Amino acid sequence: MTDVALRPSPEPAGLATAVASALGRRALVLVGMMGAGKSSVGRRLAARMGLPFVDADNEIEAAAGMSIPDIFEAHGEDYFRAGEARVIGRLLADGPRVIATGGGAFMNPGTRAQIAERGVSVWLDAEIDVLLRRIRRRSDRPLMKTADPEATLARLIAERYPVYAEATLTVQSRDVPHDVIVDEIVAALATHLGVARPAPAAAPPERPQAAVNDGQHVQKGSAP
């Protein structure tokens, strides 16, 4: 259920498409906690770079024929994580694209190794208050169905952030327009991949301006 990227925006897509070219056959993989903005930022990033976008959680649900909460309830987290690792491995093998992963995917050592081999990872690092505001808007987070969601989130952050820090790049996710985060990811990728920012187009030469002398128009700089 891969989402085909929208037409890239004309500016600053020049740098973004140069970054996409520099990735070669590698995927760009977004990692981070639930609520970090991996899917919403990922869609815009893919459009900017002219790449397909895919949400790994959507692919898992399509493969299983059931929702992630239902997978957790029917089969447990270990079963889900095994399927998640298989799906991400397949997505990485499918060529260059932007992949948004679930919050626990990068915790799997085998998945991290596959991402390091076949992709470039970007951690969307978010503060706990930002995550809480976003997570409370949704009710489909199986790991947050606890008596104290804030304490659960704090525990997950303590466990996961040291591992997320192994990602190739880190960009701060915060309450700014998504395109700001996209710009920062593109800039960080350009630096990492050694992609030079395209030179701005040269301005057209100025046309000579007419000057007025005793009621007659003459070219600026010419004798009256």
Side-chain angles (χ1 to χ4, degrees), residues 1 57-66 71 83 87 90:
M1 210 179 277
D57 282 352
N58 290 346
E59 294 291 319
I60 293 165
E61 290 182 333
M66 58 198 309
I71 296 172
V87 167
R90 171 173 58 80

Side-chain angles (χ1 to χ4, degrees), residues 1-66:
M1 210 179 277
T2 302
D3 296 323
V4 177
L6 303 174
R7 182 184 299 276
S9 57
E11 209 291 319
L15 180 61
T17 52
V19 166
S21 178
L23 283 171
R25 298 295 299 168
R26 291 175 292 180
L28 178 56
V29 184
L30 302 181
V31 304
M33 286 292 294
M34 61 189 89
K38 300 183 295 292
S39 294
S40 52
V41 169
R43 286 188 178 88
R44 289 168 173 80
L45 180 61
R48 185 82 65 85
M49 298 176 73
L51 293 175
F53 169 78
V54 60
D55 187 310
D57 282 352
N58 290 346
E59 294 291 319
I60 293 165
E61 290 182 333
M66 58 198 309

Side-chain angles (χ1 to χ4, degrees), residues 29-32 106 112 115-116 119-125 160-171 192:
V29 184
L30 302 181
V31 304
F106 203 64
R112 287 202 305 279
I115 292 172
V120 175
S121 53
V122 178
W123 172 26
L124 293 183
D125 179 12
R160 293 179 176 181
Y161 276 25
V163 178
Y164 291 160
E166 297 180 21
T168 311
L169 300 168
T170 299
V171 172
H192 174 71

Side-chain angles (χ1 to χ4, degrees), residues 87-103:
V87 167
I88 291 175
R90 171 173 58 80
L91 296 176
L92 288 167
D94 283 345
R97 60 194 53 221
V98 176
I99 303 172
T101 62

Side-chain angles (χ1 to χ4, degrees), residues 105-144:
F106 203 64
M107 301 301 291
N108 183 314
T111 299
R112 287 202 305 279
Q114 288 190 81
I115 292 172
E117 179 182 354
R118 300 179 177 180
V120 175
S121 53
V122 178
W123 172 26
L124 293 183
D125 179 12
E127 300 290 341
I128 188 170
D129 58 328
V130 173
L131 296 173
L132 279 171
R133 283 197 301 273
R134 295 174 180 174
I135 290 169
R136 282 170 177 156
R137 300 171 193 158
R138 298 180 56 175
S139 60
D140 59 345
R141 311 285 190 178
L143 294 181
M144 298 304 294

